[in-house]
Amino acid sequence: MNGGMTPIRRLVTGNDAEGRSKVVWDGPAPDVHPLTPQANPWTDFWVWKETPMPMAGEDGGNLAYDFPGPIGGGHFRAVEGFAPKGKYDPASDPKHTPPHAPKMRPHGRTWDRGGKNSHTSDMHKTETIDYAILFKGERNLILDDGEVSWRPGDIVIDVGAYHQWTSPRQDGLVLYDMISARFVDGPVGLAQGHDPVMRAPANQKLPDGVKPARRIVCLDKEPGRSSLVSDGPTPDVRLDAARPGFASQRMWVTDSFPAKIVFETLHLPHTIEPPKNGSVLRSVTIPPDAAWKGKVSSTEVEAYFRSMGSPRASTYSAKAPHPYMQKTRSIDFCVIQEGSVVLVLDTQEVEMKEGEIAILRGANHAWSNRSANPAVIAIASHDAM
């Protein structure tokens, strides 16, 4: 990594005149912001101003940026953080800001307490729910009750909590899907309700080749003090008996807009498609096709979609390019976390590799793994129209 933003491939789908899914844009995301004395480099992949999201229209990667995202929607972006190079001297750091009492930033919906420098963000909170994925390198999460080290592929669910990000030893690149939320108690932003935090049983077993998806959840239980409330494998795992090595690991759900600041959401009904005005985040392991190809019929496909709570998502046809073709009324942000996989559309197939992004706008599609190793995709699906 260097002083400029690392280029990231972004593929966006659309539909042709006959309603068949196709690729519309494919290349580096257009809205790249370089390193400045005030801010680290970032890239906007998609910005939306209304919920549900519009599935057609302009490139959402070109819309205006503000830090917490539009109040009527949110944004999907990447931010690059830098580790100290040599001996660190706060006196010569133009970004150094000492800790201070909470204050609202000028654009609103963000409060910070200072503590910023060139390799650490300020201690801040936004009126959002953030799905954060460590893409490359290192990035640690600092809360009022401790510090959490990430590994690439780990996912943080930041439920409106005070937090800092730091890269103490090596540079880090993080993807953020930030969804506008509502603090019912003003800037305090405490988690509401009494839903117990769900955790995976100690004896939870996953199929061969499937790694547990690490779910890190933080929120404010007390005024002005953030807490780590969950750190471990998600308990909500769905398999497919017809595809050995397949796993869908659900991480979080929002079921309204603005999103709710709550302790837990995995007790909500399990579906592939997001709830009305909401979203669902999953980590999906796609096994090599060779393990099941030629052994799956409509019966097995129907059973899979039924077990996922989404029987109507299937677009199975004996003439379809892939038996697991599906279509939902959603915009899906898909992050290839590990391996390589082929995105199968109605009109074409596109190979995607680790470190690349796909944005599917209501696309009829499937994921085909033609390699010898599992592929892992983080998929954040948002309600669309």
Side-chain angles (χ1 to χ4, degrees):
M1 300 180 187
N2 52 46
M5 187 69 194
T6 302
I8 300 173
R9 180 190 182 194
R10 186 201 65 154
L11 181 151
V12 183
T13 69
N15 293 310
D16 65 15
E18 298 178 13
R20 299 176 302 174
S21 54
K22 67 174 186 176
V23 174
V24 177
W25 298 291
D26 187 358
D31 195 6
V32 178
H33 301 259
L35 176 68
T36 70
Q38 290 75 37
N40 284 356
W42 79 86
T43 297
D44 280 343
F45 298 115
W46 207 256
V47 181
W48 65 101
K49 298 179 180 179
E50 56 187 308
T51 301
M53 288 194 211
M55 285 192 285
E58 62 186 316
D59 185 346
N62 284 323
L63 297 181
Y65 168 88
D66 65 67
F67 180 73
I71 194 169
H75 59 182
F76 178 40
R77 64 192 182 108
V79 178
E80 200 153 351
F82 302 122
K85 304 300 188 288
K87 186 177 180 180
Y88 175 69
D89 179 13
S92 61
D93 183 352
K95 298 180 184 177
H96 176 70
T97 305
H100 55 69
K103 63 181 181 181
M104 180 185 283
R105 292 181 182 171
H107 51 64
R109 296 189 299 127
T110 303
W111 296 263
D112 81 66
R113 299 177 359 211
K116 182 177 182 178
N117 58 46
S118 290
H119 60 274
T120 302
S121 73
D122 48 20
M123 178 63 82
H124 66 286
K125 69 183 300 175
T126 57
E127 198 171 14
T128 63
I129 289 178
D130 305 345
Y131 302 152
I133 303 170
L134 180 58
F135 211 35
K136 297 178 183 178
E138 176 191 66
R139 205 84 162 119
N140 286 1
L141 170 66
I142 301 174
L143 303 170
D144 286 299
D145 68 356
E147 184 169 340
V148 182
S149 297
W150 285 20
R151 297 180 297 271
D154 291 346
I155 295 177
V156 167
I157 315 297
D158 175 11
V159 189
Y162 268 113
H163 65 285
Q164 290 178 285
W165 304 108
T166 184
S167 296
R169 290 171 294 275
Q170 60 176 302
D171 299 346
L173 180 62
V174 180
L175 306 186
Y176 298 93
D177 181 358
M178 297 179 67
I179 305 164
S180 186
R182 177 172 176 264
F183 292 167
V184 301
D185 48 6
V188 178
L190 298 184
Q192 304 296 306
H194 304 283
D195 294 315
V197 177
M198 299 174 65
R199 294 178 173 83
N203 61 351
Q204 177 173 275
K205 296 185 182 301
L206 298 175
D208 291 344
V210 177
K211 299 175 183 177
R214 184 185 181 195
R215 186 180 80 130
I216 303 164
V217 181
C218 58
L219 46 79
D220 288 4
K221 295 189 291 185
E222 306 170 33
R225 181 173 174 80
S226 53
S227 299
L228 178 70
V229 296
S230 179
D231 184 0
T234 178
D236 192 358
V237 182
R238 301 293 171 101
L239 309 178
D240 181 2
R243 284 183 291 177
F246 173 89
S248 174
Q249 304 182 63
R250 191 170 64 149
M251 311 294 279
W252 197 260
V253 181
T254 61
D255 66 347
S256 62
F257 188 85
K260 300 171 186 173
I261 304 297
V262 293
F263 285 87
E264 183 60 276
T265 63
L266 295 186
H267 57 281
L268 295 171
H270 189 113
T271 59
I272 292 174
E273 60 264 71
K276 180 177 176 57
N277 295 325
S279 69
V280 58
L281 174 65
R282 300 179 294 136
S283 176
V284 181
T285 301
I286 309 292
D289 289 2
W292 58 267
K293 194 172 183 180
K295 305 174 184 177
V296 170
S297 68
S298 60
T299 301
E300 288 79 16
V301 172
E302 180 181 345
Y304 162 72
F305 282 99
R306 189 169 57 249
S307 73
M308 295 293 291
S310 300
R312 291 179 293 181
S314 175
T315 57
Y316 177 88
S317 165
K319 297 180 180 179
H322 192 283
Y324 285 90
M325 295 293 284
Q326 67 177 58
K327 186 173 184 177
T328 56
R329 194 189 66 179
S330 63
I331 291 183
D332 305 335
F333 302 147
C334 306
V335 180
I336 314 303
Q337 294 180 281
E338 292 185 29
S340 64
V341 67
V342 174
L343 174 61
V344 181
L345 301 171
D346 289 326
T347 61
Q348 62 195 111
E349 298 182 350
V350 187
E351 183 179 9
M352 303 200 69
K353 300 178 181 179
E354 181 177 323
E356 298 178 340
I357 306 291
I359 299 177
L360 310 182
R361 300 187 296 171
N364 191 36
H365 74 282
W367 296 101
S368 176
N369 184 351
R370 297 165 190 177
S371 75
N373 300 302
V376 180
I377 311 171
I379 303 175
S381 299
H382 293 258
D383 188 28
M385 60 181 178

